[in-house]
Amino acid sequence: MRIDEESEGVSASRKHLVFAYYVTGHGFGHATRVVEVARHLILAGHDVHVVTGAPDFVFTSEIQSPRLFIRKVLLDCGAVQADALTVDRLASLAKYLETAVAPRASILKTEVEWLTSIKADLVVSDVVPVACHAAADAGIRSVCVTNFSWDFIYAEYVMAAGDNHRSIVWQIAEDYSHCEFLIRLPGYCPMPAFRDVVDVPLVVRRFRRSRKEVREELGIGDDVTLVILNFGGQPAGWNLKEEFLPPGWLCLVCGGSDTQELPSNFIKLAKDAYTPDFMAASDCMLGKIGYGTVSEALAYKLPFVFVRRDYFNEEPLLRNMLEYYQGGVEMIRRDLLTGHWKPYLERAISLKPCYEGGINGGEVAAHILQETAIGKNYASDKLSGARRLRDAIILGYQLQRVPGRDMAIPEWYANAESELGIGSPTCKVSEKSSLMNLCTEDFEILHGDLHGLSDTMTFLKSLAELDSVYYSEKTAEKRRERKAAAGLFNWEEEIFVARAPGRLDVMGGIADYSGSLVLQMPIKEACHVAIQRNHPSKHRLWKHVLARQQAEGRKPTPVLQIVSYGSELSNRSPTFDMDLSDFMDGDKPMSYEKAKKYFSQDPSQKWAAYVAGVILVLMIERDVRFEDSISLLVSSSVPEGKGVSSSASVEVATMSAIAAAHGLSISPRDLALLCQKVENHIVGAPCGVMDQMTSACGEANKLLAMVCQPAEVLGLVEIPGHVRFWGIDSGIRHSVGGADYGSVRIGAFMGRKMIKCAASKILSRSSSTAYGTIDELEDDGYELLEAEASLNYLCNLPPHRYEALYVKVLPETILGETFLEKYDDHNDPVTVIDPNRSYVVRSPARHPIYENFRVKTFKALLTSANSDDQLTALGELLYQCHYSYSACGLGSDGTNRLVRLVQEMQYAKSSKSDDGTLYGAKITGGGSGGTVCVVGRNCLQSSQQILEIQQRYKDATGYLPFIFEGSSPGAGKFGYLRIRRRVSVDPNE
């Protein structure tokens, strides 16, 4: 149900009512919008009891009435912020446990007694969960007024803290379910816990004084350009400087500390200053996104320069609303802190914000609350069930993804025009020849071959349309991507294009870092990178980059500019730029450790480490010096977080493109090893090398066989015509940077060190005496013990030797401190042992020893005769691998469910009667979610069964899995394209 600005307003009620209004402890924004709703309730003659932790002046400065009662109680904590731009996820959950979970019983008892004592007619919550439950216990109706709910926000934090915290989200959702309906504000997040929804216009505070009156009070003429700085408290250590502002500008500072010294062009406002008046007097605002700042910027048509906030899921939806109404300019955090404000501020005052919607949401909401308290029932929306299901699916995504910056809101949700989420039709070109003709019309291909790949043809077509396509994109984020990309290239110069696929881990997986044989298949989905190098004097620079160089008084210097498509699915910036000289530390390239810190400064741009990190690796490892500016466009169809090596495909495609553009001759194997250094040392993910090797060295419809010691390609294994592999995505996000993967790797390296020490001990004991142990030594084999005492890779230890000598040596678990005291180090260059953490050892060490044997057996079986026994054995090896992952702690509910569905299909009567179709499945890659690999007979019935599994999984979980099928060539086989834009000729000339 939607109630718009033509509402009848809040007339005096026939009955004096009492409202209990609970306000969340997260920031002033909630309190300020509560003020606007409460003000209208009090004007209608009602009592409003506000339960809050906010300072009294937030309410009393706007409402001077004996009908306002303030009760200072904090019943939740919101999000704990490490600084003005960063939420501390773990601290937020810990604080919520302390504030709302531990004392829950006493909170409910106290609130029920209090609500009864004030004789409340209606409980209103913005958006305190326990208030709804207390209202139900007291027999009072309740309504929530908000644009987000804490179950959705905390879903991100739960993924960082671990599954044991999921109960917090379920408890919050259960509390909200007691609410009668939701008054939903614009810019809303998915909120499945609420049964019914009423939409209202923006809730914004009114002006008290005019622009002219405020400027006269400040002594500022109307000809002075004024920006208001509104971060709710400045970042620690941030020193404002005069040169931050363009000449002639002044800045009003909200929330500055009492001791903060400001330059003459900055004016500190009082802590209780009424912000809307000063916003009305300003020409633009610089701050962080929140409901209050966005709603008031839109209502007052005030251009808003914003900086992204980390780990707060409300932000992307508000940002989309701000950019849709052409009211926002994004500033990267680095430029905020270093004072490169000028290009952003000047861009902002050129905007024409176009929000024309209602701004009387406070009045409308108050009317709804009054009518509800009197007894009116707002009709249930006939589409409410569809809306709740849609929202629940999105919340499920949040609860299954890796901690981090990205925001997995599918496009169909953001673009939905109705509760049914009907998307717009898309046009597909099915014939490769049509695409080929379009590509060759747009570009002259000077080198390389399209290999008949439709995705490459589509990428080239998108390049050709850059100068116009961004105007027609559906979302603001896509428009920003295309606009930035359109200014990236000089179309008169050559462009190089590289392509690298993701990979499906058929066998080997996490055993790669222990030296196992692995079998990997490059998938159909791939990453494309287009690159152009230009002399700095000819490089097309983005406005803020040009302004930065001019401000520093430098002549044109080499600059790296990157655009990455797909940011509409992630809470990250679509662009990145840096001076290439920033990679230098004196006359040498900076260290990997410094680079890792450099890219970690701004989480919304940390993705750039995968791309820009390639340049530093080439500088360090190949002594390459980059004298020209570089423009890079990254476009990947390899889905992130599904365990199919999206990061490796980006790294390999980027390095292939840079190498081609700079005339570097790097073999596919060496290129893969260099890309591994990017991920290990600059990104900081402790992955093995099989992902990069497959992306670089793989070939279509073949398995890459490689011994990871460190990267010896044995060759390509033909996939028999009767065998087929599929990947089924569980929807649970995977990351090799996650805690489970790293701890399992540490456990494996600990086990190797213990085995080496045990072998050395046997050798030492045997050589110390002439009697008794010589026979033992001869039986065990002197050479074998010597090899085991210097074991470089766990996979070089045969399973029977492990069972005979070492299985009892390894403990199930060991404390990091205990291990370090006894063994000094685990000798893994890319992980660090936490002394205070307990590590599982036996299972992580056992897995690669047996996995290497399984992979060798699997490879041999592929060349055996076509039979049901062959396929059954292949499937059994996959199952064994899957359960070995689980024993290491790398399983997940979703992947286990998919494996069970394959087993059910395999043992169904229909499969048995038709010689079987599906034979086995396993979790892949780093585990803990991601994709399941399935092996089966290459026939139509197998494909039908895969689709049936997809549907069953959706029926059980609400998530429709992505199916990976098909293969494509690796980067080495693809090579590169060198292209030049064709000059258009007007036929009328």
Side-chain angles (χ1 to χ4, degrees), residues 614-629:
V614 166
I615 293 175
L616 181 62
V617 167
L618 288 172
M619 292 171 70
I620 293 175
E621 306 297 336
R622 290 297 180 107
D623 198 29
V624 180
R625 293 296 177 263
F626 296 90
E627 306 295 337
D628 289 336
S629 290

Side-chain angles (χ1 to χ4, degrees), residues 235-251:
W238 184 18
N239 295 317
L240 299 173
K241 297 179 181 179
E242 183 176 348
E243 58 268 25
F244 286 10
L245 299 177
W249 283 54
L250 292 178
C251 180

Side-chain angles (χ1 to χ4, degrees), residues 846-866:
R846 183 183 188 276
H847 174 81
I849 294 170
Y850 278 85
E851 181 70 0
N852 188 49
F853 175 78
R854 286 190 288 265
V855 182
K856 289 180 177 179
T857 306
F858 193 96
K859 180 174 177 286
L861 281 168
L862 284 174
T863 61
S864 64
N866 175 5

Side-chain angles (χ1 to χ4, degrees), residues 671-947:
L671 188 140
L673 290 170
L674 291 170
C675 289
Q676 185 194 21
K677 291 183 181 293
V678 176
E679 190 138 0
N680 285 172
H681 302 307
I682 299 178
V683 177
C687 70
V689 73
M690 72 177 189
D691 297 358
Q692 291 82 2
M693 289 293 290
T694 309
S695 188
C697 305
E699 291 189 19
N701 301 309
K702 297 178 182 179
L703 300 181
L704 181 76
M706 180 182 70
V707 176
C708 303
Q709 301 190 15
E712 300 306 321
V713 175
L714 298 185
L716 295 162
V717 180
E718 294 282 350
I719 300 174
H722 65 283
V723 176
R724 189 169 183 179
F725 298 102
W726 296 264
I728 308 178
D729 160 42
S730 67
I732 300 174
R733 192 174 174 98
H734 150 86
S735 171
V736 295
D740 288 336
Y741 178 92
S743 64
V744 170
R745 175 169 175 148
I746 289 172
F749 276 82
M750 284 178 166
R752 187 190 66 157
K753 185 65 173 280
M754 293 175 180
I755 288 171
K756 290 172 66 175
C757 290
S760 297
K761 190 173 181 180
I762 295 173
L763 281 172
S764 175
R765 188 172 65 242
S766 300
S767 60
S768 65
T769 176
Y771 304 99
T773 58
I774 294 298
D775 289 341
E776 175 191 339
L777 187 60
E778 290 174 351
D779 289 343
D780 289 337
Y782 187 85
E783 291 183 358
L784 282 174
L785 281 170
E786 275 193 326
E788 289 156 6
S790 58
L791 191 66
N792 290 327
Y793 296 96
L794 269 175
C795 291
N796 290 339
L797 182 68
H800 75 275
R801 294 286 293 177
Y802 167 76
E803 295 291 348
L805 294 178
Y806 304 114
V807 65
K808 294 181 180 179
V809 171
L810 303 184
E812 287 290 345
T813 62
I814 191 170
L815 186 67
E817 182 180 32
T818 304
F819 178 86
L820 292 172
E821 288 175 355
K822 186 172 182 179
Y823 297 100
D824 187 45
D825 190 17
H826 66 323
N827 302 122
D828 180 14
V830 298
T831 58
V832 177
I833 294 173
D834 181 353
N836 299 314
R837 179 168 183 173
S838 181
Y839 293 92
V840 178
V841 174
R842 187 175 295 171
S843 295
R846 183 183 188 276
H847 174 81
I849 294 170
Y850 278 85
E851 181 70 0
N852 188 49
F853 175 78
R854 286 190 288 265
V855 182
K856 289 180 177 179
T857 306
F858 193 96
K859 180 174 177 286
L861 281 168
L862 284 174
T863 61
S864 64
N866 175 5
S867 68
D868 194 61
D869 288 341
Q870 176 207 30
L871 287 164
T872 300
L874 291 172
E876 176 61 26
L877 291 169
L878 261 66
Y879 286 140
Q880 289 182 17
C881 173
H882 177 79
Y883 292 111
S884 184
Y885 262 77
S886 297
C888 293
L890 293 176
S892 74
D893 293 342
T895 50
N896 288 342
R897 181 184 294 275
L898 284 170
V899 171
R900 287 198 302 272
L901 287 171
V902 171
Q903 291 172 346
E904 290 172 10
M905 201 68 69
Q906 178 182 359
Y907 297 118
K909 289 182 179 179
S910 59
S911 291
K912 288 182 178 180
S913 62
D914 294 332
D915 294 327
T917 53
L918 302 182
Y919 288 87
K922 64 177 275 287
I923 195 171
T924 63
S928 299
T931 294
V932 162
C933 174
V934 181
V935 65
R937 191 178 295 280
N938 187 12
C939 62
L940 180 60
Q941 186 180 348
S942 295
S943 296
Q944 291 172 338
Q945 290 186 335
I946 291 291
L947 293 175

